[in-house]
Amino acid sequence: MENPPRLKAAILGTGNIGSDLMFKLLRRPGLLELALFAGIDPRSEGIARARALGVPVSDRGLDAILEAGDIDLVFDATSAKAHVRHAPALAQAGIVAIDLTPAALGPAVVPSVNLRAHLGASNLNLITCGGQATLPLVQAVSQVTPVAYAEIVSTIASVSAGPGTRQNIDEFTFTTGRGLETIGGAATGKALIILNPANPPILMRNTVYVIPAGDFDREAVQRSVEQRVAEVRSYVPGYALKGDPVFDSIQTAEGTRPTITLLLEVQGAGDFLPSYAGNLDIMTASAWRVAQAIAEERLCASAVAAAKS
């Protein structure tokens, strides 16, 4: 029996995020074949680990991917600055880029919100870990009532924040804040990130604070939020709301305004990284889900074309 058709995927970046994604693809390949694991450091622990698992590797980074000639899509797990250099070359080669950095070059994608809206794009931006965790909840509220303001605070274990995360904090706050508006539906959005040095390390925790534009149906908000949590859990099993939405109010110059507070926790799946690294796991899980959707669409289109010929 012939093996089912798959898209050939490469991972660019051999650090923690790239390594966790590699284990996800090996354990749950679905419609993807991991054809190359590429970085730029020949002494990389990630490259050594991949080689031991029988995954094709290279220390020539983007050049190796472009020279392979048969890669369909690339997960870029490097940095925002590096992705700005990578994106034009990948687009010219006709290779779809799934961007796990906060470079924000292509359309922003959150699987539980707009998974199929941009599957034809050459570059798909996964925003940030805080964005993947919190935008679904803000958007769930905005489906029930207009949101005047949304603020999120993502707190992650300091040991789960590698050099790339630390270098990209400015990009994190800007990109996530903009995503609260463009995807979450808030008129104004603000994002903050906190690196917590506690030992033992904490799980990723997120506080979502929303000021609706007017009165709303509390039960409808709760139903919308619970439905969205279930959708995210379908690809991030450790995603959990810590209690019911908290409904309150504040005094402003315009008078009393209602508020909604949501407390969220993300536990990693432990594919490679420890379970406290939910901030990294939600990125790799989202990337995996987006890639599977791209493969579904492409392979289905190919099958239809073949049937017609």
Side-chain angles (χ1 to χ4, degrees):
M1 183 177 178
E2 289 187 12
N3 291 326
R6 291 179 176 176
L7 295 191
K8 288 196 172 184
I11 297 173
L12 181 56
T14 60
N16 285 339
I17 292 179
S19 294
D20 191 70
L21 185 51
M22 173 180 68
F23 277 87
K24 278 183 169 56
L25 292 177
L26 292 177
R27 291 173 178 171
R28 298 181 293 278
L31 298 173
L32 302 172
E33 173 190 344
L34 180 53
L36 185 61
F37 189 71
I40 57 174
D41 182 359
R43 297 167 297 178
S44 161
E45 292 181 6
I47 284 181
R49 191 178 298 112
R51 183 182 289 115
L53 292 168
V55 175
V57 300
S58 174
D59 60 11
R60 297 183 57 248
L62 179 63
D63 288 343
I65 291 172
L66 297 175
E67 291 169 9
D70 61 351
I71 302 298
D72 296 298
L73 63 87
V74 168
F75 298 95
D76 193 335
T78 56
S79 69
K81 290 181 180 178
H83 183 69
V84 170
R85 298 193 303 270
H86 300 157
L90 291 170
Q92 186 173 3
I95 301 172
V96 174
I98 298 178
D99 178 18
L100 287 86
T101 82
L105 296 184
V109 177
V110 178
S112 68
V113 178
N114 63 345
L115 176 61
R116 301 196 177 276
H118 303 292
L119 294 184
S122 62
N123 189 307
L124 295 92
N125 160 37
L126 294 186
I127 318 173
T128 61
C129 58
Q132 289 296 332
T134 63
L135 296 189
L137 300 187
V138 175
Q139 200 271 343
V141 174
S142 71
Q143 283 192 313
V144 176
T145 180
V147 172
Y149 178 77
E151 179 179 300
I152 69 97
V153 179
S154 288
T155 303
I156 64 174
S158 182
V159 292
S160 72
T165 299
R166 294 171 187 271
Q167 291 169 12
N168 292 333
I169 285 179
D170 285 346
E171 289 90 345
F172 174 96
T173 56
F174 174 78
T175 302
T176 309
R178 186 171 64 178
L180 290 168
E181 299 167 0
T182 58
I183 296 178
T188 302
K190 181 178 180 180
L192 302 170
I193 184 171
I194 297 173
L195 308 185
N196 188 322
N199 191 20
I202 65 163
L203 297 179
M204 181 192 195
R205 294 169 182 161
N206 303 274
T207 301
V208 179
Y209 179 73
V210 173
I211 302 178
D215 293 333
F216 57 91
D217 184 331
R218 293 187 177 190
E219 291 184 359
V221 166
Q222 181 150 351
R223 287 195 301 271
S224 184
V225 167
E226 289 174 351
Q227 180 179 346
R228 187 55 49 79
V229 170
E231 291 169 357
V232 179
R233 285 178 64 88
S234 69
Y235 58 95
V236 188
Y239 186 89
L241 199 64
K242 306 303 289 182
D244 293 334
V246 176
F247 300 102
D248 205 343
S249 63
I250 58 170
Q251 292 295 326
T252 70
E254 292 78 25
T256 303
R257 300 285 296 275
T259 64
I260 304 169
T261 302
L262 304 165
L263 302 178
L264 173 70
E265 192 172 79
V266 184
Q267 180 172 343
D271 290 307
F272 165 68
L273 295 164
S275 60
Y276 61 74
N279 55 304
L280 304 181
D281 184 78
I282 198 168
M283 289 297 288
T284 56
S286 298
W288 176 89
R289 182 66 189 98
V290 171
Q292 295 293 337
I294 291 172
E296 290 166 8
E297 183 144 305
R298 283 200 177 186
L299 295 174
C300 179
S302 296
V304 169
K308 290 181 177 178
S309 63

